[in-house]
Amino acid sequence: MNLKIPSPLTKINSHFLKNKGVELYIKRDDLIHEIISGNKWRKLKYNFLHAKKSKIKNIVSFGGKYSNHLHALSFVSKQFKIQSIGIVRGEREKNLNHTLSFCIENGMKLIFIDRSSYRTNKYDKKFLENIKTSQGNFYLLPEGGNNKLGVKGCKEIISEIDIEFDYFCSSVGTGCTASGVIQKLPSNKKFIGFSPFKKNHEQISVIQNHCSNEKKNWYIFTDTEFGGFGKFNKELLDFINEFYHEHKIKLDHIYNGKQLFNLFILIKKNFFPKKTRIIALHTGGIQGLESLNKFI
Ligand SMILES: *Cc1c(COP(=O)(O)O)cnc(C)c1O
């Protein structure tokens, strides 16, 4: 795999930022690879190095039908010649969408389970035993690649940055990426996370579990603008469009579009003092747009 690592930093120039006296850079993890873009490679890297070393044959993980994680997992598994098995939330639909078709093309086996069993049984012993019986022994990768090895890979995002900055921002799903970043972030810099959910307590507890209690330099905002996960409106799509036309950077409408929209609101409200330098992580996720046919 030809990976663009360290991923570049792109400075965002605009009158708005100039007037506010704030500097904004985007850490372009979306450019790492055309398929496994964004934080997904960060989280898979050490899991796959471990899997290869341990001669693991099967790898099982979980996700929704638009999952960027399953999408990336299927592709990386194929490169590493490991059989991937994706447990998908919800009923199987007659015509699989772009994300799941891609998973199948890469040889991933898909097992569908209904939403309520998914929520309650996904890590259930008996459920996993049944998979073992039907599919053989496997390496269990939690949903979103959220484990210690995932966090380890995400620490490298901060190690790669060679300029000074005050704030590091990212969208926050499981909290794995945020945990790696926070672990590595010096105490004179702050992390701001943007949750695509209406709540943030699960992510807060994930971060608290992964990081030491001494870390206080982080905060997670919830999605108050758009009404929660997967929800969006014309205002968001207009913002994404405009951002693309001005800066030639595509943003997905689940994570990064919302992150930058909400970051711009904070800048508008003078949340950041003048001369603040912010780095926002582009976590990728562009493949999800294709499934929705919403692309700009
Ligand atoms: C998975 C994903 C996230 C969330 O990352 P976590 O490590 O689960 O917090 C953010 N943005 C995009 C585009 C993603 O695909």
Side-chain angles (χ1 to χ4, degrees), residues 89 113-122:
R89 181 179 61 227
I113 57 174
D114 66 82
R115 284 169 175 272
S116 66
S117 329
Y118 184 91
R119 203 165 32 244
T120 49
N121 300 340
K122 129 182 98 166

Side-chain angles (χ1 to χ4, degrees), residues 140-151:
L140 182 71
L141 186 62
E143 188 171 31
N146 174 24
N147 62 8
K148 276 219 165 84
L149 293 175
V151 171

Side-chain angles (χ1 to χ4, degrees), residues 15-53:
H15 288 301
F16 166 66
L17 293 169
K18 208 165 180 193
N19 287 339
K20 291 291 182 185
V22 166
E23 278 191 314
L24 174 63
Y25 287 80
I26 311 268
K27 172 78 172 150
R28 303 294 305 277
D29 272 16
D30 57 315
L31 298 180
I32 287 181
H33 185 272
E34 83 187 287
I35 291 163
I36 14 160
S37 86
N39 58 356
K40 296 300 177 272
W41 169 249
R42 306 280 186 186
K43 298 194 275 185
L44 292 177
K45 176 179 166 185
Y46 287 104
N47 277 295
F48 271 87
L49 293 179
H50 167 75
K52 204 70 208 163
K53 216 167 102 192

Side-chain angles (χ1 to χ4, degrees), residues 165-218:
F165 62 95
D166 304 293
Y167 283 86
F168 191 90
C169 300
S170 170
S171 71
V172 179
T174 60
C176 180
T177 304
S179 298
V181 165
I182 291 166
Q183 279 191 14
K184 196 75 192 164
L185 202 64
S187 56
N188 65 342
K189 305 183 188 337
K190 295 192 183 74
F191 174 82
I192 295 184
F194 294 94
S195 165
F197 304 99
K198 276 199 265 188
K199 295 182 180 150
N200 60 8
H201 58 271
E202 279 181 29
Q203 291 123 319
I204 288 176
S205 75
V206 164
I207 295 171
Q208 283 168 339
N209 283 335
H210 282 304
C211 301
S212 108
N213 283 334
E214 281 147 40
K215 295 273 183 190
K216 301 268 186 260
N217 52 342
W218 56 277

Side-chain angles (χ1 to χ4, degrees), residues 68-98:
N68 293 327
H69 168 64
L70 292 182
H71 185 269
L73 177 67
S74 71
F75 184 82
V76 179
S77 299
K78 188 174 155 195
Q79 314 304 313
F80 278 79
K81 300 191 171 54
I82 293 176
Q83 173 67 52
S84 61
I85 299 157
I87 314 291
V88 186
R89 181 179 61 227
E91 303 294 328
R92 185 184 189 108
E93 286 165 13
K94 232 185 172 173
N95 295 317
L96 293 180
N97 67 18
H98 162 84

